[in-house]
Amino acid sequence: MNAILRFFIPVLLIGVCIPVGTMALVQPIAGDLTRIGFLPERSFGWNAPQPPILAAAANAAPDKARIVVVGDSFTWTGLWQSAAFTDQDRYISFGFGDICADIGAYMQKFGLAPDVVIVEAVERLFAQRFLSKCAASDLKPSLPNATKPTQPQRDTGILYGSFGAKYALGGLLYLARPGPQHRATGSGGVYVRPVPDGCARFSHADCGNALFLGNDELLPSLPLTEYDSPMIAYLKAAGVKKIIVMSIPNKTSIYLRSAEQAERSDAYLAEFARRNGVQAVPLHTLLIGLKEKHRDLYFGNDSHLSNEGMTILGAQIRDVMRAGGPR
């Protein structure tokens, strides 16, 4: 019996201590880019506090909504809505499905008769969303309004769902061989790339490098030469009088591209808006400039805007919606 205990106790201790020690070293995943690329929060998790995001007004009932918001993961959780809307702005948000030729009947089915429709798409999906024809609309329910912490909070659990073992091994591999590389996983994988003045841009430990989603490079960015939008035509045929369009810049566009490229993107969106009779929210030049002043405008471990970035986005939308133009 004693011999069995002498054998199993060390095995048990090793079996517990190695996983616990490994996960404590790399820290479990929190950001979408660290999760997709199996990269360590220890290296890329943000360390600077962020301003609080106040709770946004709750979604209105469909038949009471004056504003309909349709967007992707930048919009689903209601973060920018807190800066854009007050309790008097009766709005309802949807995750992106499809706005198609039958959108009039689709809105009528749910009792939607908005004064304003705001359509958001990340830059890499702009052409797919705005320039494609389709027949059957399908808008996904949005997630409840959420908040992001103002202080860095990393998961201290031992495993993180199905990613636990893969994440631990990937995190250790990066600590052993840090620096520029490509982790070939879903969504085009994750690139670790050097960023000029990176430690002035990000607060994570390995701030000379930053994480970027592979699809930001693999998928087309703004088309720059195509303007006719079936989606806008569908909404106008449904009787929507005011349409606001925004394209959220890919993280690569803000940190790896030039101010001249940002100006071309904003010029394209302005011409797109003019030709389609809508309003556009210019963001590329604005965010290129603000990255010089604010660390973690996009979170280092994430492909999304930070609390501060979301608040800036919401303020831009508010001003376009209420004043007929940007600040």
Side-chain angles (χ1 to χ4, degrees):
M1 185 65 178
N2 287 338
I4 293 173
L5 288 176
R6 283 197 300 271
F7 175 77
F8 278 108
I9 288 174
V11 169
L12 181 63
L13 289 174
I14 292 170
V16 171
C17 290
I18 289 178
V20 170
T22 298
M23 297 306 279
L25 179 63
V26 299
Q27 295 184 305
I29 14 185
D32 65 358
L33 292 176
T34 43
R35 173 176 53 81
I36 294 169
F38 308 123
L39 287 152
E41 291 295 317
R42 180 71 69 181
S43 298
F44 294 101
W46 51 287
N47 295 309
Q50 283 280 322
I53 286 187
L54 303 175
N59 281 336
D63 61 338
K64 304 293 185 185
R66 189 178 66 85
I67 303 165
V68 166
V69 179
V70 183
D72 50 34
S73 57
F74 281 86
T75 290
W76 290 340
T77 51
L79 294 173
W80 62 257
Q81 285 91 320
S82 64
F85 303 131
T86 68
D87 289 338
Q88 285 69 48
D89 294 314
R90 301 187 305 277
Y91 78 94
I92 186 168
S93 293
F94 293 94
F96 231 127
D98 298 291
I99 295 175
C100 300
D102 68 339
I103 189 63
Y106 188 92
M107 291 195 302
Q108 192 173 32
K109 174 183 175 182
F110 293 99
L112 292 165
D115 299 326
V116 182
V117 172
I118 301 173
V119 187
E120 173 268 313
V122 70
E123 178 184 355
R124 64 179 174 271
L125 296 178
F126 182 88
Q128 176 184 326
R129 303 299 193 197
F130 285 95
L131 304 178
S132 299
K133 294 181 179 180
C134 56
S137 300
D138 181 23
L139 302 181
K140 312 297 182 185
S142 187
L143 296 173
N145 289 339
T147 60
K148 279 193 175 181
T150 58
Q151 300 289 337
Q153 292 183 1
R154 297 179 185 137
D155 196 318
T156 56
I158 302 305
L159 297 177
Y160 198 96
S162 60
F163 294 98
K166 291 180 181 179
Y167 174 71
L169 292 173
L172 287 175
L173 179 62
Y174 185 80
L175 293 177
R177 189 175 65 85
Q181 56 190 268
H182 177 227
R183 294 291 180 93
T185 58
S187 301
V190 175
Y191 286 93
V192 183
R193 296 201 186 283
V195 174
D197 298 321
C199 293
R201 309 282 178 257
F202 296 104
S203 67
H204 56 262
D206 190 9
C207 54
N209 295 299
L211 304 184
F212 299 97
L213 187 68
N215 276 351
D216 280 4
E217 299 185 22
L218 296 173
L219 297 178
S221 56
L222 294 178
L224 298 183
T225 57
E226 298 177 60
Y227 299 99
D228 293 337
S229 173
M231 178 196 288
I232 302 302
Y234 298 150
L235 287 169
K236 288 190 171 184
V240 179
K241 301 298 184 186
K242 185 171 183 177
I243 301 167
I244 297 174
V245 168
M246 58 177 164
S247 170
I248 308 294
N250 295 335
K251 190 177 178 183
T252 52
S253 295
I254 300 305
Y255 293 101
L256 299 180
R257 295 180 186 160
S258 67
E260 290 74 18
Q261 288 172 304
E263 289 170 3
R264 286 196 294 271
S265 294
D266 279 341
Y268 165 77
L269 288 167
E271 181 63 12
F272 175 90
R274 186 189 70 79
R275 294 196 189 195
N276 288 283
V278 300
Q279 291 176 273
V281 182
L283 295 170
H284 287 74
T285 303
L286 172 73
L287 295 181
I288 281 269
L290 289 177
K291 79 173 183 185
E292 308 290 338
K293 303 174 183 177
H294 303 283
R295 287 207 301 174
D296 298 327
L297 193 63
Y298 287 68
F299 282 122
N301 59 1
D302 212 296
S303 62
H304 295 89
L305 291 161
S306 64
N307 289 16
E308 187 163 24
M310 287 288 189
T311 301
I312 291 166
L313 172 60
Q316 289 295 109
I317 296 163
R318 178 195 63 211
D319 290 347
V320 169
M321 184 175 63
R322 295 181 185 172
R327 292 194 286 186

